[in-house]
Amino acid sequence: MSAQPDHAPVTPYAPAPGAPAELLARLRADKRAATWVPAFEREWAAALEESRRTFSLAPLYEVVQEWQGRLASAPAVDAFVASGYDDSDFIDMAELRGRRR
């Protein structure tokens, strides 16, 4: 009998070693750099501290993956905003929750 699992474990997303530096360069080149770069740096620093505490790279991988997603979806968000779509009937769930208290 083998001690090996009978299924292949799911491997976590692992970015390339240079992915954080490449991502930061892309963030600096974006028109949202003034807000996105400091936010990325704060999240990266917090993830780095968590990684040191837990001996896991997962928090760093998550930050890279989240910011890659933000950059990838930014053109679609820009197109939506530029379309002039009227979202004034949007329901603010946070506001609704506050009214119930």
Side-chain angles (χ1 to χ4, degrees), residues 17-101:
E22 178 186 319
L23 181 58
L24 187 54
R26 289 179 57 205
L27 289 171
R28 286 181 175 145
D30 192 273
K31 66 182 181 181
R32 301 164 192 82
T35 55
W36 279 16
V37 170
F40 172 79
E41 288 173 341
R42 277 190 308 273
E43 289 181 26
W44 183 258
L48 188 58
E49 201 53 44
E50 177 73 11
S51 290
R52 287 179 180 143
R53 191 178 61 72
T54 62
F55 298 100
S56 170
L57 295 175
L60 298 170
Y61 293 169
E62 289 170 9
V63 169
V64 170
Q65 191 171 18
E66 281 182 25
W67 281 95
Q68 286 173 334
R70 286 181 184 142
L71 272 175
S73 63
V77 172
D78 290 342
F80 175 79
V81 171
S83 73
Y85 180 79
D86 179 18
D87 63 348
S88 60
D89 60 344
F90 171 76
I91 298 173
D92 185 356
M93 296 305 291
E95 182 180 325
L96 288 176
R97 282 187 215 102
R99 287 183 187 168
R100 285 191 248 168
R101 292 180 188 178

